[in-house]
Coordinates of all heavy atoms in Angstrom, one line a residue:
G960 N -37.7 17.8 4.8 CA -36.9 16.6 4.6 C -35.5 16.9 4.1 O -34.5 16.3 4.5
G961 N -35.4 17.9 3.2 CA -34.0 18.3 2.7 C -33.2 18.9 3.8 O -32.0 18.6 3.9
Q962 N -33.8 19.7 4.7 CA -33.0 20.2 5.8 C -32.7 19.2 6.8 O -31.6 19.2 7.4 CB -33.9 21.3 6.4 CG -34.0 22.6 5.6 CD -35.1 23.6 6.1 OE1 -36.1 23.2 6.7 NE2 -34.9 24.8 5.9
Q963 N -33.5 18.2 7.0 CA -33.2 17.1 7.9 C -32.0 16.3 7.4 O -31.1 15.9 8.2 CB -34.4 16.1 8.0 CG -35.6 16.7 8.8 CD -36.7 15.8 8.9 OE1 -36.6 14.6 9.0 NE2 -37.9 16.3 8.8
Q964 N -31.9 16.1 6.1 CA -30.8 15.4 5.5 C -29.5 16.2 5.7 O -28.4 15.7 6.0 CB -31.0 15.1 4.0 CG -29.9 14.2 3.4 CD -29.7 12.9 4.2 OE1 -29.1 12.8 5.2 NE2 -30.3 11.8 3.6
R965 N -29.6 17.5 5.6 CA -28.4 18.4 5.9 C -28.0 18.4 7.3 O -26.8 18.4 7.6 CB -28.7 19.8 5.4 CG -28.5 19.9 3.9 CD -28.6 21.4 3.4 NE -30.0 21.8 3.3 CZ -30.4 23.1 3.2 NH1 -29.5 24.1 3.4 NH2 -31.7 23.4 3.1
V966 N -29.0 18.2 8.2 CA -28.6 18.1 9.6 C -27.9 16.8 9.9 O -26.9 16.7 10.6 CB -29.9 18.1 10.5 CG1 -29.6 17.7 12.0 CG2 -30.6 19.5 10.5
A967 N -28.4 15.7 9.2 CA -27.7 14.4 9.3 C -26.2 14.5 8.8 O -25.3 13.9 9.4 CB -28.4 13.3 8.6
L968 N -26.0 15.3 7.7 CA -24.7 15.5 7.2 C -23.8 16.3 8.2 O -22.7 15.9 8.4 CB -24.8 16.2 5.8 CG -23.5 16.5 5.1 CD1 -22.7 15.2 4.9 CD2 -23.8 17.2 3.8
A969 N -24.4 17.3 8.7 CA -23.7 18.1 9.7 C -23.3 17.3 10.9 O -22.2 17.5 11.5 CB -24.5 19.3 10.1
R970 N -24.2 16.4 11.4 CA -23.9 15.6 12.5 C -22.7 14.7 12.3 O -21.9 14.4 13.2 CB -25.1 14.7 12.8 CG -25.0 13.8 14.1 CD -26.2 13.0 14.3 NE -26.6 12.2 13.2 CZ -27.7 11.6 13.1 NH1 -28.6 11.6 14.0 NH2 -28.0 10.9 12.0
A971 N -22.5 14.3 11.0 CA -21.3 13.5 10.7 C -20.1 14.3 10.5 O -19.0 14.0 11.1 CB -21.6 12.7 9.4
L972 N -20.2 15.5 9.9 CA -19.1 16.3 9.6 C -18.5 16.9 10.9 O -17.3 17.1 11.0 CB -19.4 17.5 8.7 CG -19.8 17.1 7.3 CD1 -20.3 18.3 6.5 CD2 -18.6 16.5 6.5
V973 N -19.3 17.1 11.9 CA -18.9 17.8 13.1 C -17.8 16.9 13.9 O -17.0 17.4 14.6 CB -20.1 18.1 14.1 CG1 -20.6 16.9 14.8 CG2 -19.7 19.2 15.1
L974 N -17.9 15.6 13.6 CA -16.9 14.7 14.3 C -15.6 14.6 13.6 O -14.7 14.0 14.1 CB -17.6 13.3 14.4 CG -18.8 13.2 15.3 CD1 -19.4 11.9 15.2 CD2 -18.5 13.5 16.7
K975 N -15.5 15.2 12.4 CA -14.3 15.2 11.6 C -13.7 13.8 11.5 O -12.5 13.5 11.9 CB -13.2 16.2 12.3 CG -13.7 17.6 12.4 CD -12.7 18.5 13.0 CE -13.2 19.9 13.1 NZ -12.3 20.9 13.9
P976 N -14.5 12.9 10.9 CA -14.0 11.5 10.8 C -12.9 11.3 9.7 O -12.8 12.1 8.8 CB -15.3 10.8 10.4 CG -16.0 11.8 9.6 CD -15.8 13.1 10.2
K977 N -12.2 10.2 9.9 CA -11.2 9.9 8.8 C -11.9 9.4 7.5 O -11.5 9.7 6.4 CB -10.3 8.7 9.3 CG -9.3 9.1 10.3 CD -8.4 7.9 10.6 CE -7.3 8.3 11.6 NZ -6.4 7.1 11.9
V978 N -13.0 8.7 7.7 CA -13.8 8.2 6.5 C -15.3 8.5 6.7 O -15.8 8.3 7.8 CB -13.6 6.7 6.4 CG1 -14.5 6.2 5.2 CG2 -12.2 6.3 6.2
L979 N -15.9 9.0 5.7 CA -17.3 9.3 5.7 C -18.1 8.4 4.8 O -17.7 8.2 3.6 CB -17.5 10.8 5.3 CG -18.9 11.4 5.4 CD1 -19.4 11.3 6.8 CD2 -18.9 12.9 5.0
L980 N -19.1 7.7 5.3 CA -19.8 6.7 4.5 C -21.2 7.3 4.2 O -21.9 7.8 5.1 CB -19.9 5.4 5.3 CG -18.6 4.8 5.7 CD1 -18.9 3.5 6.5 CD2 -17.7 4.5 4.5
F981 N -21.7 7.1 3.0 CA -23.1 7.5 2.7 C -23.8 6.3 2.2 O -23.5 5.6 1.2 CB -23.0 8.5 1.5 CG -22.4 9.8 1.9 CD1 -21.0 10.0 1.7 CD2 -23.1 10.9 2.3 CE1 -20.4 11.2 2.0 CE2 -22.5 12.1 2.6 CZ -21.2 12.3 2.5
D982 N -25.0 6.0 2.9 CA -25.8 4.8 2.5 C -27.1 5.3 1.9 O -28.0 5.6 2.6 CB -26.0 4.0 3.8 CG -26.8 2.7 3.5 OD1 -26.9 2.3 2.3 OD2 -27.3 2.1 4.4
E983 N -27.1 5.4 0.5 CA -28.3 5.8 -0.2 C -28.9 7.1 0.5 O -30.1 7.1 0.8 CB -29.3 4.7 -0.2 CG -28.8 3.4 -0.8 CD -29.3 3.2 -2.3 OE1 -29.7 4.1 -2.9 OE2 -29.1 2.0 -2.7
P984 N -28.1 8.1 0.7 CA -28.6 9.2 1.5 C -29.7 10.1 0.9 O -30.4 10.8 1.7 CB -27.3 10.1 1.7 CG -26.5 9.8 0.5 CD -26.8 8.4 0.2
L985 N -29.9 10.0 -0.4 CA -30.9 10.9 -1.0 C -32.1 10.2 -1.5 O -33.0 10.9 -2.2 CB -30.2 11.6 -2.2 CG -28.8 12.3 -1.9 CD1 -28.3 13.1 -3.1 CD2 -28.9 13.3 -0.7
S986 N -32.3 9.0 -1.2 CA -33.4 8.2 -1.7 C -34.8 8.7 -1.3 O -35.8 8.5 -2.0 CB -33.3 6.7 -1.3 OG -32.1 6.2 -1.8
N987 N -34.8 9.4 -0.1 CA -36.1 9.9 0.4 C -36.5 11.3 -0.1 O -37.5 11.8 0.3 CB -36.2 9.8 1.9 CG -36.1 8.4 2.4 OD1 -36.6 7.5 1.7 ND2 -35.6 8.2 3.6
L988 N -35.6 11.9 -0.9 CA -35.9 13.3 -1.4 C -36.4 13.3 -2.8 O -36.2 12.4 -3.6 CB -34.6 14.0 -1.3 CG -33.8 14.1 0.0 CD1 -32.5 14.9 -0.1 CD2 -34.7 14.7 1.1
D989 N -37.2 14.4 -3.1 CA -37.7 14.5 -4.5 C -36.5 14.9 -5.4 O -35.4 15.2 -4.9 CB -38.8 15.5 -4.5 CG -38.5 16.9 -4.1 OD1 -37.4 17.4 -4.5 OD2 -39.3 17.6 -3.5
A990 N -36.8 15.0 -6.7 CA -35.8 15.2 -7.7 C -35.0 16.4 -7.5 O -33.7 16.5 -7.6 CB -36.4 15.1 -9.1
N991 N -35.7 17.6 -7.3 CA -35.0 18.8 -7.1 C -34.1 18.9 -5.9 O -33.0 19.4 -5.9 CB -36.0 20.0 -7.1 CG -36.6 20.2 -8.4 OD1 -36.0 20.0 -9.5 ND2 -37.8 20.8 -8.4
L992 N -34.6 18.3 -4.8 CA -33.8 18.3 -3.6 C -32.6 17.4 -3.7 O -31.5 17.6 -3.2 CB -34.7 17.8 -2.4 CG -35.6 18.9 -1.8 CD1 -36.5 18.3 -0.7 CD2 -34.7 20.1 -1.2
R993 N -32.8 16.2 -4.4 CA -31.7 15.3 -4.7 C -30.6 16.1 -5.4 O -29.4 15.9 -5.1 CB -32.1 14.1 -5.5 CG -32.8 13.1 -4.6 CD -32.8 11.7 -5.3 NE -33.4 11.7 -6.6 CZ -34.6 11.5 -6.9 NH1 -35.5 11.3 -5.9 NH2 -35.1 11.5 -8.1
R994 N -30.9 16.9 -6.4 CA -29.9 17.6 -7.2 C -29.1 18.5 -6.3 O -27.9 18.6 -6.3 CB -30.6 18.3 -8.3 CG -29.6 19.0 -9.3 CD -30.3 19.7 -10.4 NE -31.0 18.8 -11.3 CZ -32.3 18.7 -11.3 NH1 -33.1 19.5 -10.5 NH2 -32.9 17.8 -12.1
S995 N -29.8 19.3 -5.5 CA -29.2 20.3 -4.7 C -28.3 19.7 -3.6 O -27.2 20.1 -3.2 CB -30.2 21.3 -4.0 OG -31.1 20.6 -3.2
M996 N -28.8 18.5 -3.0 CA -28.1 17.9 -2.0 C -26.8 17.2 -2.5 O -25.8 17.2 -1.8 CB -29.0 16.8 -1.3 CG -29.8 17.4 -0.1 SD -28.8 18.2 1.2 CE -27.7 16.8 1.7
R997 N -26.9 16.6 -3.7 CA -25.7 15.9 -4.2 C -24.6 17.0 -4.5 O -23.4 16.7 -4.4 CB -26.0 15.1 -5.4 CG -26.4 15.8 -6.7 CD -26.9 14.8 -7.7 NE -27.1 15.5 -9.0 CZ -28.1 15.2 -9.8 NH1 -29.0 14.3 -9.5 NH2 -28.2 15.8 -11.0
E998 N -25.1 18.2 -5.0 CA -24.1 19.3 -5.2 C -23.5 19.7 -3.9 O -22.3 19.9 -3.8 CB -24.8 20.4 -5.9 CG -25.2 20.2 -7.3 CD -26.1 21.3 -7.9 OE1 -26.4 22.2 -7.1 OE2 -26.5 21.2 -9.0
K999 N -24.3 19.8 -2.8 CA -23.7 20.2 -1.5 C -22.8 19.1 -1.0 O -21.7 19.4 -0.4 CB -24.9 20.4 -0.5 CG -24.5 20.7 0.9 CD -23.5 21.9 1.0 CE -24.2 23.2 0.7 NZ -23.3 24.3 0.9
I1000 N -23.1 17.8 -1.1 CA -22.3 16.8 -0.6 C -20.9 16.8 -1.3 O -19.9 16.7 -0.7 CB -23.0 15.4 -0.8 CG1 -24.1 15.3 0.2 CG2 -22.0 14.3 -0.6 CD1 -25.0 14.0 0.0
R1001 N -21.0 16.9 -2.7 CA -19.7 17.0 -3.4 C -18.9 18.2 -3.1 O -17.7 18.1 -2.9 CB -20.1 17.0 -4.9 CG -18.8 16.9 -5.8 CD -18.0 15.7 -5.6 NE -17.0 15.6 -6.6 CZ -15.8 14.9 -6.4 NH1 -15.6 14.3 -5.2 NH2 -15.0 14.7 -7.4
E1002 N -19.5 19.3 -2.9 CA -18.8 20.6 -2.6 C -18.1 20.4 -1.2 O -16.9 20.7 -1.1 CB -19.8 21.7 -2.5 CG -19.2 23.0 -2.0 CD -20.2 24.0 -1.4 OE1 -21.4 23.9 -1.7 OE2 -19.8 24.7 -0.5
L1003 N -18.8 19.9 -0.2 CA -18.2 19.8 1.1 C -17.1 18.7 1.1 O -16.1 18.9 1.8 CB -19.3 19.4 2.1 CG -20.3 20.5 2.4 CD1 -21.4 20.0 3.3 CD2 -19.6 21.7 3.1
Q1004 N -17.3 17.6 0.4 CA -16.3 16.5 0.4 C -15.0 17.1 -0.2 O -13.9 16.8 0.3 CB -16.8 15.3 -0.4 CG -15.9 14.1 -0.3 CD -14.8 14.2 -1.4 OE1 -15.0 14.7 -2.5 NE2 -13.6 13.6 -1.1

Side-chain angles (χ1 to χ4, degrees):
Q962 290 170 329
Q963 289 178 38
Q964 187 55 281
R965 281 188 275 160
V966 171
L968 179 58
R970 183 179 55 189
L972 293 174
V973 77
L974 295 172
K975 301 178 180 178
K977 285 184 176 180
V978 178
L979 189 54
L980 306 177
F981 295 88
D982 184 14
E983 305 259 12
L985 309 184
S986 296
N987 292 333
L988 303 179
D989 64 36
N991 288 334
L992 281 175
R993 282 201 303 272
R994 184 180 297 108
S995 63
M996 273 303 300
R997 72 188 186 219
E998 290 171 357
K999 174 56 68 175
I1000 287 171
R1001 183 56 169 158
E1002 174 206 333
L1003 289 174
Q1004 186 275 326

